[in-house]
Amino acid sequence: MILIAGTALAFLAGILFFHKPRNKMLFYINTIIYEIKYNTMGVQEVVREFVFAKYNKTDLPQRKGKVAIVTGGSRGIGCFIVKMLLQCDMEVIVACRNIKAGEDAIRKIRESGVTSGTAKVYHMDNASLESVRKFCREIKNDYRRIDTLINNAGIMFTPYFRTKEGFEQQWVVNYLSHFLLTALLLPLLKNAGSPNESARVINVTSCAHLVGTIDFDHVDDGQGFLRKFAYARSKLAQVMFTKTIQELFSKKKLPVQSYAVHPGLVNTDIYQHTSMKHLKILFNILFKTPLQGATPVVYAAVNKSIENKGGIYITNCLDSPVNPEALNSTIRDRLFKLSLEQVQLKDFFET
């Protein structure tokens, strides 16, 4: 009953809030299809998380002298990722839109009793590629190496909005900004890596990528816009990006490894644009806590057992299957070329 009610609610919300499509009937059909896909996937994910919960744990080894960047580190699971890395005695750079929110997050972590590690807050807005470039210039001026880059910032099911650079906002915040960030910081990642211990790039993605597809003809199309389609597409792009850059790193023999991580269904405010925001009781019962969601991300950042297993997709600290489209090298290559064009880079390694 809950599944049916959720589907009906979301469908009605879609009719009320989505842009008018060129073909209303097709729009409504696609809306229903994606509601069914998401609800089916959500039920399966709740079951998986219950079954594999015992594996969702990680050690917090001491990593003094290591530097990590966490985008979106001022809220949600980002705060807990920062906290756990500080417990590893790392230097953590919180990249976020709101400096005060970042500073408040650090203050609360310190008040909770965590005294190890050091933390700094830098401004970066993932909805602006220019902001990403400015952030990278500042980091390159202040640091010679970055050991771990955690591309965590994200939004979900937001209304259609075109960013200043002309792209749909979920595409930019979840994927394209992190594509550019990784490319621009690659020199610092290479400086940190060594034959014995690689630097790491972690893309925080979602199980939603399993129902995604890359429609290259309508990446920025506001007509007939489906929020859930756009979100799944951005998350699939992250998984494809993870696998593509891992192949490139390996081919060029660079001491950098990349991982995609699904935190799980986590009880945070990322659901504010969904009908599920009204089902808080279910959140508390069925969803992970932010700490549990942060655990597989930190696992990917510090666990030694996955040192030479870059390119994998991790859920509950386990290597997991991906959308078959993410294994298609032709689609991945096309996505990579499109992404380079969109961020105006001739070569991912040109910096």
mmCIF file of all heavy atoms in Angstrom, residues 205 209-210 212-214 235-244 247 260 311 313 320-333 335:
data_model
loop_
_atom_site.group_PDB
_atom_site.id
_atom_site.type_symbol
_atom_site.label_atom_id
_atom_site.label_comp_id
_atom_site.label_asym_id
_atom_site.label_seq_id
_atom_site.Cartn_x
_atom_site.Cartn_y
_atom_site.Cartn_z
ATOM 1 N N THR A 205 27.954 8.325 -5.597
ATOM 2 C CA THR A 205 26.876 8.175 -6.565
ATOM 3 C C THR A 205 25.628 7.615 -5.885
ATOM 4 O O THR A 205 25.383 7.875 -4.711
ATOM 5 C CB THR A 205 27.356 7.310 -7.750
ATOM 6 O OG1 THR A 205 26.324 7.233 -8.732
ATOM 7 C CG2 THR A 205 27.768 5.922 -7.322
ATOM 8 N N HIS A 209 21.567 5.111 -10.339
ATOM 9 C CA HIS A 209 22.250 4.953 -11.626
ATOM 10 C C HIS A 209 21.800 3.677 -12.337
ATOM 11 O O HIS A 209 21.899 3.567 -13.561
ATOM 12 C CB HIS A 209 23.772 4.938 -11.430
ATOM 13 C CG HIS A 209 24.365 3.586 -11.241
ATOM 14 N ND1 HIS A 209 24.408 2.953 -10.014
ATOM 15 C CD2 HIS A 209 24.935 2.726 -12.126
ATOM 16 C CE1 HIS A 209 24.989 1.765 -10.158
ATOM 17 N NE2 HIS A 209 25.310 1.602 -11.426
ATOM 18 N N LEU A 210 21.279 2.725 -11.556
ATOM 19 C CA LEU A 210 20.854 1.444 -12.125
ATOM 20 C C LEU A 210 19.657 1.597 -13.054
ATOM 21 O O LEU A 210 19.433 0.750 -13.924
ATOM 22 C CB LEU A 210 20.514 0.455 -11.003
ATOM 23 C CG LEU A 210 21.692 0.027 -10.117
ATOM 24 C CD1 LEU A 210 21.196 -0.697 -8.872
ATOM 25 C CD2 LEU A 210 22.667 -0.853 -10.894
ATOM 26 N N GLY A 212 19.230 4.505 -14.782
ATOM 27 C CA GLY A 212 19.567 5.645 -15.628
ATOM 28 C C GLY A 212 19.969 5.250 -17.030
ATOM 29 O O GLY A 212 20.274 4.091 -17.320
ATOM 30 N N THR A 213 19.956 6.232 -17.895
ATOM 31 C CA THR A 213 20.479 6.082 -19.251
ATOM 32 C C THR A 213 20.974 7.453 -19.689
ATOM 33 O O THR A 213 20.508 8.482 -19.179
ATOM 34 C CB THR A 213 19.415 5.544 -20.218
ATOM 35 O OG1 THR A 213 20.024 5.237 -21.481
ATOM 36 C CG2 THR A 213 18.294 6.560 -20.445
ATOM 37 N N ILE A 214 21.921 7.487 -20.612
ATOM 38 C CA ILE A 214 22.442 8.760 -21.106
ATOM 39 C C ILE A 214 21.783 9.067 -22.442
ATOM 40 O O ILE A 214 22.067 8.416 -23.444
ATOM 41 C CB ILE A 214 23.973 8.734 -21.281
ATOM 42 C CG1 ILE A 214 24.664 8.286 -19.981
ATOM 43 C CG2 ILE A 214 24.480 10.113 -21.708
ATOM 44 C CD1 ILE A 214 24.530 9.232 -18.823
ATOM 45 N N LYS A 235 23.769 10.353 -12.042
ATOM 46 C CA LYS A 235 24.428 9.354 -11.211
ATOM 47 C C LYS A 235 25.074 8.256 -12.055
ATOM 48 O O LYS A 235 26.145 7.734 -11.705
ATOM 49 C CB LYS A 235 23.427 8.762 -10.211
ATOM 50 C CG LYS A 235 22.982 9.762 -9.146
ATOM 51 C CD LYS A 235 24.169 10.225 -8.324
ATOM 52 C CE LYS A 235 23.882 11.338 -7.382
ATOM 53 N NZ LYS A 235 25.057 11.735 -6.556
ATOM 54 N N LEU A 236 24.438 7.913 -13.162
ATOM 55 C CA LEU A 236 25.051 6.963 -14.093
ATOM 56 C C LEU A 236 26.320 7.562 -14.691
ATOM 57 O O LEU A 236 27.333 6.873 -14.845
ATOM 58 C CB LEU A 236 24.065 6.599 -15.202
ATOM 59 C CG LEU A 236 24.601 5.710 -16.327
ATOM 60 C CD1 LEU A 236 25.140 4.388 -15.785
ATOM 61 C CD2 LEU A 236 23.508 5.460 -17.366
ATOM 62 N N ALA A 237 26.275 8.856 -15.001
ATOM 63 C CA ALA A 237 27.455 9.535 -15.537
ATOM 64 C C ALA A 237 28.627 9.448 -14.560
ATOM 65 O O ALA A 237 29.782 9.265 -14.964
ATOM 66 C CB ALA A 237 27.126 10.991 -15.853
ATOM 67 N N GLN A 238 28.345 9.557 -13.260
ATOM 68 C CA GLN A 238 29.401 9.447 -12.254
ATOM 69 C C GLN A 238 30.064 8.073 -12.277
ATOM 70 O O GLN A 238 31.292 7.960 -12.169
ATOM 71 C CB GLN A 238 28.823 9.695 -10.859
ATOM 72 C CG GLN A 238 28.466 11.126 -10.555
ATOM 73 C CD GLN A 238 27.934 11.252 -9.142
ATOM 74 O OE1 GLN A 238 26.970 10.586 -8.763
ATOM 75 N NE2 GLN A 238 28.546 12.114 -8.354
ATOM 76 N N VAL A 239 29.247 7.027 -12.405
ATOM 77 C CA VAL A 239 29.797 5.662 -12.435
ATOM 78 C C VAL A 239 30.616 5.455 -13.700
ATOM 79 O O VAL A 239 31.709 4.875 -13.664
ATOM 80 C CB VAL A 239 28.664 4.623 -12.325
ATOM 81 C CG1 VAL A 239 29.220 3.206 -12.439
ATOM 82 C CG2 VAL A 239 27.913 4.783 -11.008
ATOM 83 N N MET A 240 30.113 5.945 -14.831
ATOM 84 C CA MET A 240 30.857 5.842 -16.086
ATOM 85 C C MET A 240 32.184 6.590 -15.992
ATOM 86 O O MET A 240 33.226 6.094 -16.433
ATOM 87 C CB MET A 240 30.023 6.419 -17.232
ATOM 88 C CG MET A 240 28.836 5.580 -17.625
ATOM 89 S SD MET A 240 27.990 6.330 -19.042
ATOM 90 C CE MET A 240 26.893 4.989 -19.496
ATOM 91 N N PHE A 241 32.134 7.780 -15.424
ATOM 92 C CA PHE A 241 33.331 8.598 -15.239
ATOM 93 C C PHE A 241 34.364 7.864 -14.384
ATOM 94 O O PHE A 241 35.560 7.849 -14.706
ATOM 95 C CB PHE A 241 32.919 9.923 -14.580
ATOM 96 C CG PHE A 241 34.058 10.824 -14.201
ATOM 97 C CD1 PHE A 241 35.030 11.171 -15.116
ATOM 98 C CD2 PHE A 241 34.131 11.354 -12.913
ATOM 99 C CE1 PHE A 241 36.076 12.024 -14.762
ATOM 100 C CE2 PHE A 241 35.162 12.198 -12.550
ATOM 101 C CZ PHE A 241 36.135 12.537 -13.483
ATOM 102 N N THR A 242 33.905 7.231 -13.318
ATOM 103 C CA THR A 242 34.803 6.469 -12.433
ATOM 104 C C THR A 242 35.551 5.398 -13.208
ATOM 105 O O THR A 242 36.767 5.242 -13.066
ATOM 106 C CB THR A 242 33.988 5.810 -11.296
ATOM 107 O OG1 THR A 242 33.326 6.822 -10.537
ATOM 108 C CG2 THR A 242 34.891 4.992 -10.382
ATOM 109 N N LYS A 243 34.836 4.654 -14.024
ATOM 110 C CA LYS A 243 35.453 3.567 -14.781
ATOM 111 C C LYS A 243 36.360 4.094 -15.894
ATOM 112 O O LYS A 243 37.441 3.540 -16.144
ATOM 113 C CB LYS A 243 34.369 2.649 -15.354
ATOM 114 C CG LYS A 243 33.647 1.852 -14.278
ATOM 115 C CD LYS A 243 32.701 0.833 -14.847
ATOM 116 C CE LYS A 243 32.123 -0.043 -13.734
ATOM 117 N NZ LYS A 243 33.149 -0.864 -13.052
ATOM 118 N N THR A 244 35.942 5.180 -16.540
ATOM 119 C CA THR A 244 36.752 5.739 -17.624
ATOM 120 C C THR A 244 38.084 6.270 -17.122
ATOM 121 O O THR A 244 39.140 5.970 -17.693
ATOM 122 C CB THR A 244 35.983 6.864 -18.345
ATOM 123 O OG1 THR A 244 34.790 6.329 -18.916
ATOM 124 C CG2 THR A 244 36.825 7.470 -19.455
ATOM 125 N N GLU A 247 40.572 3.542 -16.161
ATOM 126 C CA GLU A 247 41.253 2.973 -17.322
ATOM 127 C C GLU A 247 42.363 3.895 -17.807
ATOM 128 O O GLU A 247 43.460 3.434 -18.164
ATOM 129 C CB GLU A 247 40.248 2.716 -18.446
ATOM 130 C CG GLU A 247 39.306 1.553 -18.177
ATOM 131 C CD GLU A 247 38.383 1.280 -19.345
ATOM 132 O OE1 GLU A 247 38.469 2.003 -20.375
ATOM 133 O OE2 GLU A 247 37.576 0.341 -19.248
ATOM 134 N N ALA A 260 33.585 4.473 -7.254
ATOM 135 C CA ALA A 260 32.228 5.001 -7.140
ATOM 136 C C ALA A 260 31.599 4.363 -5.908
ATOM 137 O O ALA A 260 31.746 3.157 -5.685
ATOM 138 C CB ALA A 260 31.416 4.675 -8.386
ATOM 139 N N GLY A 311 37.999 1.596 -9.991
ATOM 140 C CA GLY A 311 36.960 1.421 -10.993
ATOM 141 C C GLY A 311 35.738 0.696 -10.488
ATOM 142 O O GLY A 311 34.726 0.622 -11.181
ATOM 143 N N TYR A 313 32.380 -0.250 -8.055
ATOM 144 C CA TYR A 313 31.221 0.428 -7.488
ATOM 145 C C TYR A 313 30.930 -0.233 -6.143
ATOM 146 O O TYR A 313 30.669 -1.437 -6.074
ATOM 147 C CB TYR A 313 30.040 0.278 -8.447
ATOM 148 C CG TYR A 313 28.687 0.651 -7.891
ATOM 149 C CD1 TYR A 313 28.369 1.967 -7.556
ATOM 150 C CD2 TYR A 313 27.694 -0.324 -7.741
ATOM 151 C CE1 TYR A 313 27.108 2.295 -7.065
ATOM 152 C CE2 TYR A 313 26.426 0.002 -7.262
ATOM 153 C CZ TYR A 313 26.144 1.312 -6.927
ATOM 154 O OH TYR A 313 24.890 1.634 -6.448
ATOM 155 N N SER A 320 30.029 -4.112 -5.966
ATOM 156 C CA SER A 320 28.668 -4.443 -6.393
ATOM 157 C C SER A 320 28.478 -4.259 -7.897
ATOM 158 O O SER A 320 29.223 -3.515 -8.544
ATOM 159 C CB SER A 320 27.664 -3.565 -5.636
ATOM 160 O OG SER A 320 27.824 -3.709 -4.237
ATOM 161 N N PRO A 321 27.457 -4.915 -8.476
ATOM 162 C CA PRO A 321 27.182 -4.796 -9.913
ATOM 163 C C PRO A 321 26.706 -3.394 -10.286
ATOM 164 O O PRO A 321 26.127 -2.684 -9.460
ATOM 165 C CB PRO A 321 26.071 -5.832 -10.151
ATOM 166 C CG PRO A 321 26.097 -6.726 -8.963
ATOM 167 C CD PRO A 321 26.566 -5.881 -7.820
ATOM 168 N N VAL A 322 26.931 -3.019 -11.550
ATOM 169 C CA VAL A 322 26.532 -1.702 -12.035
ATOM 170 C C VAL A 322 25.554 -1.833 -13.200
ATOM 171 O O VAL A 322 25.347 -2.919 -13.748
ATOM 172 C CB VAL A 322 27.758 -0.878 -12.496
ATOM 173 C CG1 VAL A 322 28.707 -0.633 -11.347
ATOM 174 C CG2 VAL A 322 28.473 -1.575 -13.658
ATOM 175 N N ASN A 323 24.974 -0.712 -13.572
ATOM 176 C CA ASN A 323 24.155 -0.616 -14.769
ATOM 177 C C ASN A 323 24.982 -1.082 -15.967
ATOM 178 O O ASN A 323 26.095 -0.603 -16.180
ATOM 179 C CB ASN A 323 23.725 0.848 -14.949
ATOM 180 C CG ASN A 323 22.787 1.072 -16.110
ATOM 181 O OD1 ASN A 323 22.857 0.398 -17.137
ATOM 182 N ND2 ASN A 323 21.905 2.046 -15.962
ATOM 183 N N PRO A 324 24.481 -2.026 -16.771
ATOM 184 C CA PRO A 324 25.244 -2.524 -17.933
ATOM 185 C C PRO A 324 25.719 -1.411 -18.867
ATOM 186 O O PRO A 324 26.760 -1.547 -19.511
ATOM 187 C CB PRO A 324 24.240 -3.445 -18.639
ATOM 188 C CG PRO A 324 23.336 -3.910 -17.551
ATOM 189 C CD PRO A 324 23.196 -2.732 -16.623
ATOM 190 N N GLU A 325 24.977 -0.304 -18.907
ATOM 191 C CA GLU A 325 25.382 0.814 -19.766
ATOM 192 C C GLU A 325 26.732 1.385 -19.335
ATOM 193 O O GLU A 325 27.484 1.912 -20.149
ATOM 194 C CB GLU A 325 24.304 1.906 -19.743
ATOM 195 C CG GLU A 325 24.392 2.881 -20.889
ATOM 196 C CD GLU A 325 23.141 3.715 -21.059
ATOM 197 O OE1 GLU A 325 22.041 3.127 -21.115
ATOM 198 O OE2 GLU A 325 23.260 4.956 -21.148
ATOM 199 N N ALA A 326 27.049 1.261 -18.033
ATOM 200 C CA ALA A 326 28.323 1.770 -17.529
ATOM 201 C C ALA A 326 29.497 0.929 -18.004
ATOM 202 O O ALA A 326 30.656 1.345 -17.899
ATOM 203 C CB ALA A 326 28.299 1.813 -16.000
ATOM 204 N N LEU A 327 29.214 -0.260 -18.511
ATOM 205 C CA LEU A 327 30.272 -1.147 -19.003
ATOM 206 C C LEU A 327 30.485 -1.003 -20.502
ATOM 207 O O LEU A 327 31.384 -1.631 -21.062
ATOM 208 C CB LEU A 327 29.908 -2.607 -18.679
ATOM 209 C CG LEU A 327 29.641 -2.909 -17.196
ATOM 210 C CD1 LEU A 327 29.196 -4.359 -17.024
ATOM 211 C CD2 LEU A 327 30.872 -2.617 -16.351
ATOM 212 N N ASN A 328 29.674 -0.177 -21.136
ATOM 213 C CA ASN A 328 29.754 0.021 -22.582
ATOM 214 C C ASN A 328 30.789 1.100 -22.886
ATOM 215 O O ASN A 328 30.551 2.286 -22.649
ATOM 216 C CB ASN A 328 28.378 0.418 -23.122
ATOM 217 C CG ASN A 328 28.326 0.467 -24.635
ATOM 218 O OD1 ASN A 328 29.228 0.993 -25.282
ATOM 219 N ND2 ASN A 328 27.259 -0.075 -25.210
ATOM 220 N N SER A 329 31.936 0.694 -23.405
ATOM 221 C CA SER A 329 33.038 1.639 -23.631
ATOM 222 C C SER A 329 32.695 2.689 -24.679
ATOM 223 O O SER A 329 33.176 3.822 -24.608
ATOM 224 C CB SER A 329 34.304 0.883 -24.041
ATOM 225 O OG SER A 329 34.094 0.151 -25.227
ATOM 226 N N THR A 330 31.849 2.349 -25.642
ATOM 227 C CA THR A 330 31.452 3.314 -26.682
ATOM 228 C C THR A 330 30.655 4.458 -26.072
ATOM 229 O O THR A 330 30.901 5.639 -26.363
ATOM 230 C CB THR A 330 30.613 2.631 -27.775
ATOM 231 O OG1 THR A 330 31.385 1.576 -28.369
ATOM 232 C CG2 THR A 330 30.212 3.625 -28.863
ATOM 233 N N ILE A 331 29.698 4.124 -25.200
ATOM 234 C CA ILE A 331 28.897 5.158 -24.535
ATOM 235 C C ILE A 331 29.769 5.967 -23.589
ATOM 236 O O ILE A 331 29.661 7.195 -23.514
ATOM 237 C CB ILE A 331 27.727 4.525 -23.769
ATOM 238 C CG1 ILE A 331 26.806 3.770 -24.724
ATOM 239 C CG2 ILE A 331 26.926 5.595 -23.018
ATOM 240 C CD1 ILE A 331 25.683 3.020 -24.038
ATOM 241 N N ARG A 332 30.652 5.285 -22.866
ATOM 242 C CA ARG A 332 31.540 5.995 -21.926
ATOM 243 C C ARG A 332 32.444 6.971 -22.663
ATOM 244 O O ARG A 332 32.658 8.098 -22.211
ATOM 245 C CB ARG A 332 32.373 5.004 -21.119
ATOM 246 C CG ARG A 332 31.593 4.209 -20.105
ATOM 247 C CD ARG A 332 32.463 3.828 -18.901
ATOM 248 N NE ARG A 332 33.783 3.382 -19.271
ATOM 249 C CZ ARG A 332 34.138 2.122 -19.462
ATOM 250 N NH1 ARG A 332 33.233 1.159 -19.332
ATOM 251 N NH2 ARG A 332 35.380 1.801 -19.774
ATOM 252 N N ASP A 333 32.996 6.559 -23.793
ATOM 253 C CA ASP A 333 33.875 7.444 -24.561
ATOM 254 C C ASP A 333 33.121 8.663 -25.076
ATOM 255 O O ASP A 333 33.642 9.788 -25.051
ATOM 256 C CB ASP A 333 34.490 6.684 -25.748
ATOM 257 C CG ASP A 333 35.523 5.661 -25.320
ATOM 258 O OD1 ASP A 333 35.958 5.716 -24.152
ATOM 259 O OD2 ASP A 333 35.883 4.803 -26.140
ATOM 260 N N LEU A 335 30.459 10.000 -23.691
ATOM 261 C CA LEU A 335 30.199 10.842 -22.527
ATOM 262 C C LEU A 335 31.440 11.638 -22.143
ATOM 263 O O LEU A 335 31.362 12.835 -21.841
ATOM 264 C CB LEU A 335 29.741 9.993 -21.347
ATOM 265 C CG LEU A 335 29.612 10.732 -20.003
ATOM 266 C CD1 LEU A 335 28.514 11.785 -20.075
ATOM 267 C CD2 LEU A 335 29.339 9.749 -18.858
#
